[in-house]
């Protein structure tokens, strides 16, 4: 099983790099790093959302016919 980095940790890493750039770089390079970190953060958010949607779809498909609803069973027996 792959070990994944939590989304919050990734975002904090991007923010840390952007903050370090603010403290150490000149104007042009600072903007370049901020644009790069913003793009990577956006890409990470989109990928995380796609992964959540894929997982939700797979879970819904796998539990469709095999799902047991206790209320449905109770209503049938009444």
């Amino acid at each position: 099983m792959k070990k994944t980095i939590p989304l919050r940790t990734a975002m904090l890493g991007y923010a840390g790099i952007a903050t370090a750039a603010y403290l150490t770089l000149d104007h042009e390079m600072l903007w370049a790093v901020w644009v790069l970190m913003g793009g990577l953060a956006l890409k990470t958010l989109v990928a995380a959302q796609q992964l959540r949607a894929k997982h939700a779809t797979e879970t819904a498909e796998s539990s469709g016919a095999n799902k047991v609803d206790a209320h449905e069973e109770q209503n049938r027996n009444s």
Side-chain angles (χ1 to χ4, degrees), residues 55-66:
H55 183 272
T57 302
E58 289 175 355
T59 302
E61 288 174 355
S62 67
S63 67
N66 298 329

Side-chain angles (χ1 to χ4, degrees), residues 6-58:
L7 182 62
R8 180 177 289 177
T9 304
M11 293 299 128
L12 286 172
Y14 295 139
I17 292 171
T19 302
Y22 175 75
L23 297 173
T24 59
L25 296 177
D26 292 333
H27 187 71
E28 292 84 18
M29 285 301 294
L30 173 64
W31 282 105
V33 170
W34 278 4
V35 167
L36 178 64
M37 291 302 106
L40 288 174
L42 182 62
K43 184 176 179 180
T44 301
L45 287 172
V46 169
Q49 186 62 31
Q50 287 176 343
L51 185 60
R52 281 190 201 112
K54 179 182 175 186
H55 183 272
T57 302
E58 289 175 355

